[in-house]
Amino acid sequence: MLFRSDGDSIAGLGFTALDGADDSFDNHLGRPLVVNFFAAWCAPCRTELPEFQATFTEYGDRVGFLGISRDDTPGPSVELLAELGVGYPAGFDGSDGSLYPAVGGFGVMPMTLFVDEFGTVVDQWHGFLDGDSLREKVEALL
């Protein structure tokens, strides 16, 4: 499936969790979901990740958060998330990086998808997302 715009679904797409286990977006649906594509080499990603963690903590069980690493290997992302205290689930786009373009990524990093409880992408953001804007987008999901 090739993601082209808001209204497409991420249901059924798989990835590898940072711990090496197989995972899929389906395992994270059932409530609104924020999917953030990030990388350890991405300076704006490093800046926004603490805001994503704070928002994850603030909204608790009402909204799920999922990070997807675009690093070449999972190690740098595991270290980055530990360094920044990010505790929500995270996965890895794989060595071929095919998931990012499949969901509409086109080179700008970071990228964030806002997904309803069924897997439909209702909004997307390419580039840095500050905490206030993130919270506005999360509120729109609820």
Side-chain angles (χ1 to χ4, degrees):
M1 171 191 152
L2 178 62
F3 179 91
R4 290 192 174 87
S5 64
D6 295 347
D8 284 341
S9 178
I10 61 171
L13 293 175
F15 56 90
T16 303
L18 285 181
D19 67 5
D22 288 336
D23 202 349
S24 79
F25 289 116
D26 293 349
N27 293 334
H28 301 273
L29 299 178
R31 62 183 171 171
L33 179 65
V34 176
V35 180
N36 177 249
F37 285 82
F38 72 97
W41 47 261
C42 168
C45 300
R46 289 176 167 271
T47 302
E48 76 176 7
L49 279 168
E51 288 292 342
F52 276 71
Q53 175 60 38
T55 305
F56 165 71
T57 301
E58 179 180 333
Y59 282 86
D61 291 335
R62 297 187 304 157
V63 177
F65 277 70
L66 177 63
I68 302 290
S69 167
R70 296 209 53 233
D71 286 308
D72 292 335
T73 62
S77 293
V78 170
E79 292 172 13
L80 174 65
L81 297 179
E83 173 189 327
L84 297 177
V86 174
Y88 51 81
F92 176 58
D93 191 3
S95 60
D96 67 355
S98 61
L99 184 60
Y100 185 66
V103 298
F106 57 83
V108 175
M109 284 288 292
M111 181 184 78
T112 306
L113 303 177
F114 298 88
V115 181
D116 72 12
E117 63 271 21
F118 305 108
T120 302
V121 177
V122 297
D123 196 4
Q124 57 183 302
W125 185 265
H126 297 267
F128 175 80
L129 191 58
D130 66 64
D132 290 338
S133 297
L134 174 60
R135 286 173 183 82
E136 286 177 21
K137 292 189 171 294
V138 168
E139 282 294 323
L141 276 176
L142 298 174

